[in-house]
């Protein structure tokens, strides 16, 4: 895919840009440019263009606005000790994007085109990459169905875009999130779209998120659709349970059954935990096992993981059956060790022995 340059002629002034980066947060400010490419059933993918960030103009009958045919990705560029910038495992996101496209009947973007377009845009926006540890440039590639018409069918036109936003360390080490275990609503069912990163999954999750808030909780924990018993994910993040403590601890995560989203962070932590000497296990955990594991002391720490927050400790879990609190509500030592190790690899302060970092600059 050829990338044409038609950049923003009026980019943010350096002082303003630095102030916006320093303000932190997540998704508040977007960088000066975005990337866009169009696909058509007849002609395939056209060239990509890097151009000024700004509104899209869409016909009101554009397919995505009615039937939600949309997929997205999330990955980060991290500044490195030598002043360079690296992407973390962009190949994994590229492959997942192609899988999501396939499930949503959107055109697959070749892996190399995904990586090249993301790399070129980040190169262009390199001054927007925050320098501090834990901070990054968050990259949001997405694809929408842009055939105009209300007929229900796979769109014969699609638009791929990449936008970027500086993200601060999204982690409050003194506050574990509280979770509401939803038994009324489900995120994903067998045969559905749970394994695809699709906007529709999020749309369908928001009512449960609202319910969690009325229960005084920060996030929803999703159970399997059939038995409403097996723990799957938390909000838009995967879950980890630490069983036992010290070097004999087991680092456990729900296995990928087809209804879970295969997180890149989840996958990286399987490897990092093994590298750190822990036993690692993928399996099934029921809400009863969660409750009993907390009661018996077998489960010592719980955390959620995903690109945006990297690692987020989970404290109290509330359900129709009661509330179970992990530890003292503060992030546990293994949670912190894993988080610091992964972030260290991403920032180039710990050796990247699996070759995960891809240099942009
Ligand atoms: C994106 C996402 C995750 C986390 O995936 P990462 O690749 O680690 O960011 C987990 N669950 C859901 C539902 C997601 O959409």
């Amino acid at each position: 895919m050829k990338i044409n340059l038609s950049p923003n002629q009026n980019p943010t002034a350096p002082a303003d840009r630095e102030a916006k980066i320093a303000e932190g947060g997540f998704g508040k400010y977007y960088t000066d440019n975005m990337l866009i490419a169009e696909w058509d059933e007849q002609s395939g993918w056209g060239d990509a263009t890097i151009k000024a960030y700004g509104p899209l103009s869409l016909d009101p009958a554009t397919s995505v606005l009615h039937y939600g045919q949309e997929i997205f990705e999330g990955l980060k560029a991290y500044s490195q000790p030598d002043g360079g910038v690296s992407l973390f495992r962009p190949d994994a996101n590229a492959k997942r994007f192609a899988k999501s496209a396939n499930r949503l009947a959107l055109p697959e973007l070749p892996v190399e085109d995904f990586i090249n377009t993301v790399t070129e845009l980040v190169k262009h926006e390199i001054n927007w990459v925050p320098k501090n540890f834990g901070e990054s440039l968050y990259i949001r590639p997405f694809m929408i169905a842009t055939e105009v018409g209300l007929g229900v069918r796979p769109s014969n036109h699609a638009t791929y875009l990449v936008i970027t936003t500086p993200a601060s360390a999204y982690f409050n080490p003194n506050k574990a999130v509280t979770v509401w275990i939803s038994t009324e609503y489900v995120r994903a069912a067998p045969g559905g779209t749970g394994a695809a990163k699709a906007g529709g999954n999020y749309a369908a999750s928001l009512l449960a998120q609202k319910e969690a808030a009325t229960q005084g909780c920060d996030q929803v924990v999703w159970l399997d659709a059939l038995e409403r018993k097996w723990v799957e994910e938390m909000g838009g993040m995967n879950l980890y349970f630490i069983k036992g403590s010290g070097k004999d601890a087991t680092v456990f995560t729900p296995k990928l059954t087809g209804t879970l989203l295969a997180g890149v962070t989840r996958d990286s932590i399987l490897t990092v935990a093994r590298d750190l000497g822990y036993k690692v296990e993928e399996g099934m955990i029921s809400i009863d096992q969660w409750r009993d594991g907390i009661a018996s002391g077998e489960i010592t720490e719980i955390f959620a993981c995903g690109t945006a927050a990297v690692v987020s400790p989970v404290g109290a879990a509330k359900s129709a059956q009661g509330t179970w609190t992990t530890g003292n509500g503060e992030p546990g030592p293994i949670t912190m060790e894993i988080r610091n190790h992964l972030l260290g690899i991403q920032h180039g302060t710990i050796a990247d022995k699996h070759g995960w970092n891809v240099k942009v600059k």
Side-chain angles (χ1 to χ4, degrees):
M1 183 177 274
K2 188 169 166 262
I3 301 173
N4 302 311
L5 292 179
S6 175
N8 194 332
Q9 293 305 308
N10 190 17
T12 312
D16 189 14
R17 185 184 67 229
E18 292 309 322
K20 285 175 168 162
I21 293 171
E23 198 181 313
F26 183 80
K28 180 159 183 194
Y29 299 111
Y30 293 85
T31 63
D32 295 308
N33 294 283
M34 63 183 189
L35 180 138
I36 184 164
E38 311 263 351
W39 173 90
D40 183 88
E41 199 170 52
Q42 244 75 63
S43 46
W45 286 105
D47 291 355
T49 304
I50 290 177
K51 63 179 212 175
Y53 183 94
L56 303 175
S57 174
L58 294 175
D59 188 294
T62 300
S63 178
V64 66
L65 302 176
H66 302 274
Y67 307 125
Q69 203 187 351
E70 188 264 4
I71 56 167
F72 67 96
E73 269 304 324
L75 70 163
K76 283 176 167 177
Y78 290 91
S79 57
Q80 303 293 304
D82 65 359
V85 169
S86 290
L87 298 169
F88 185 71
R89 303 189 68 184
D91 52 314
N93 297 91
K95 285 175 197 149
R96 189 170 66 190
F97 196 57
K99 272 192 191 156
S100 299
N102 185 267
R103 180 62 185 83
L104 272 288
L106 283 163
E108 283 184 23
L109 179 71
V111 164
E112 67 194 63
D113 290 332
F114 179 99
I115 297 174
N116 287 342
T117 51
V118 164
T119 302
E120 282 312 306
L121 183 62
V122 171
K123 265 189 194 158
H124 225 270
E125 307 299 79
I126 205 90
N127 292 331
W128 283 92
V129 181
K131 302 276 187 297
N132 296 331
F133 193 87
E135 300 181 352
S136 57
L137 187 69
Y138 181 83
I139 305 155
R140 168 55 60 88
F142 61 108
M143 198 195 298
I144 54 177
T146 41
E147 177 172 352
V148 175
L150 297 183
V152 180
R153 59 174 171 270
S155 183
N156 64 18
H157 197 96
T159 305
Y160 165 67
L161 293 116
V162 187
I163 56 175
T164 56
T165 174
S168 61
Y170 200 92
F171 182 84
N172 182 347
N174 300 312
K175 190 175 177 321
V177 296
T178 57
V179 296
W180 169 248
I181 300 177
S182 175
T183 43
E184 190 178 356
Y185 304 111
V186 293
R187 191 191 80 89
T193 55
K197 216 165 170 67
N201 292 338
Y202 280 74
S205 77
L206 299 174
L207 185 58
Q209 177 65 42
K210 225 170 154 177
E211 184 185 68
T214 63
Q215 295 291 339
C217 295
D218 305 307
Q219 288 287 342
V220 186
V221 163
W222 301 107
L223 302 177
D224 76 291
L226 298 182
E227 296 181 71
R228 306 285 168 97
K229 172 176 167 184
W230 303 104
V231 176
E232 297 202 329
E233 300 194 55
M234 181 196 92
M237 301 172 83
N238 295 111
L239 278 169
Y240 268 92
F241 295 80
I242 311 294
K243 299 178 182 174
S245 53
K247 282 293 163 192
D248 293 329
T250 297
V251 174
F252 175 94
T253 192
K255 70 175 180 187
L256 302 176
T257 58
T259 50
L260 279 74
L261 194 288
V264 178
T265 318
R266 174 190 179 280
D267 185 70
S268 305
I269 289 174
L270 286 173
T271 299
V272 161
R274 217 171 269 127
D275 288 350
L276 290 170
Y278 296 109
K279 289 191 283 291
V280 171
E281 204 181 301
E282 294 175 85
M284 305 281 276
I285 179 168
S286 68
I287 31 172
D288 294 343
Q289 288 169 323
W290 183 335
R291 179 196 59 217
D292 296 348
I294 295 292
S296 72
E298 190 203 4
I299 296 175
T300 51
E301 303 177 32
I302 304 175
F303 65 86
C305 65
T307 297
V310 187
V311 162
S312 193
V314 176
K318 207 171 158 187
S319 74
Q321 304 176 27
T323 300
W324 325 312
T325 303
T326 320
N328 55 8
E330 280 170 27
I334 296 175
T335 301
M336 288 308 287
E337 184 187 14
I338 289 173
R339 174 193 182 258
N340 292 340
H341 196 87
L342 182 56
L343 216 53
I345 295 171
Q346 291 169 330
H347 272 291
T349 57
I350 290 175
D352 171 28
K353 62 181 194 181
H354 303 287
W356 285 338
N357 292 332
V358 175
K359 215 168 161 48
V360 169
K361 177 199 149 190

